[in-house]
Amino acid sequence: MGGCGKACDHGAVAVRFACVTTLSMAPAEAFDLSLSVGAHVASMARARERAISRVTSDVLGLGDEITWRAWHFGVPWRLTSRITVFNRPQLFVDEQVRGPFHRFHHEHLFEPLDGGSRMTDVVEFEAPAAWLGRIAERVVLASYVRKLIEERNRYLTAQA
């Protein structure tokens, strides 16, 4: 049978955006800092985000999974992500494997610049709950998630 049911989205992504940040550190240093559990926790202090699963190192690597707990919209959330692509120092990808999103995919790209690097975050996600989720994506989640990424990137910039 060649068709797909209502759940098939034919590859469409509900929300996709990119954030570009210039850092005054080499791509390898920016890459490692972006994979640091400690840096992530510090950058998300406002959301009281913390790692609640056991990790063997402060810097995540290919295949590593980590569960985060954070407060967003006055509600505690748990999200487990896995590093699914790892090409140091150019690219890594983290993806939600358990959590509130139907799908969450975050590419981190690093390019050398004179005296530093350009970091590009490409984020794609879909909320659960069909049409209600689509409304939440457009009304609240798209700008909220973008602001979280920008907040993390301001922290990383300050660490350079």
Side-chain angles (χ1 to χ4, degrees):
M1 307 210 28
C4 62
K6 291 181 182 179
C8 183
D9 66 4
H10 298 288
V13 174
V15 175
R16 177 184 166 86
F17 65 85
C19 290
V20 178
T21 305
T22 301
L23 299 167
S24 59
M25 62 179 78
E29 188 179 355
F31 184 94
D32 293 344
L33 184 60
S34 294
L35 283 164
S36 165
V37 174
H40 182 84
V41 169
S43 72
M44 293 288 111
R46 189 174 55 88
R48 300 183 302 193
E49 190 153 341
R50 61 188 174 100
I52 60 172
S53 61
R54 184 169 173 254
V55 292
T56 58
S57 170
D58 179 59
V59 179
L60 300 173
L62 182 62
D64 285 348
E65 280 190 17
I66 188 164
T67 300
W68 305 99
R69 181 181 168 102
W71 288 80
H72 299 285
F73 308 109
V75 177
W77 297 91
R78 289 171 64 116
L79 181 141
T80 301
S81 61
R82 177 184 303 136
I83 305 301
T84 58
V85 175
F86 188 92
N87 184 14
R88 186 178 190 273
Q90 293 89 15
L91 165 71
F92 75 89
V93 174
D94 65 86
E95 296 183 90
Q96 174 193 282
V97 292
R98 283 181 299 286
F101 292 96
H102 175 68
R103 177 178 180 269
F104 194 96
H105 178 94
H106 184 177
E107 294 180 16
H108 307 254
L109 303 150
F110 303 87
E111 301 170 84
L113 291 177
D114 287 340
S117 58
R118 177 177 28 247
M119 177 178 69
T120 304
D121 293 276
V122 180
V123 177
E124 299 177 349
F125 69 87
E126 296 176 57
W131 65 270
L132 188 57
R134 296 295 181 254
I135 292 170
E137 288 164 354
R138 283 162 181 75
V139 173
V140 178
L141 291 175
S143 65
Y144 187 79
V145 172
R146 177 185 282 276
K147 286 177 185 170
L148 287 174
I149 298 297
E150 290 170 348
E151 184 175 338
R152 178 187 65 95
N153 291 354
R154 280 190 297 276
Y155 176 86
L156 297 177
T157 300
Q159 300 308 300

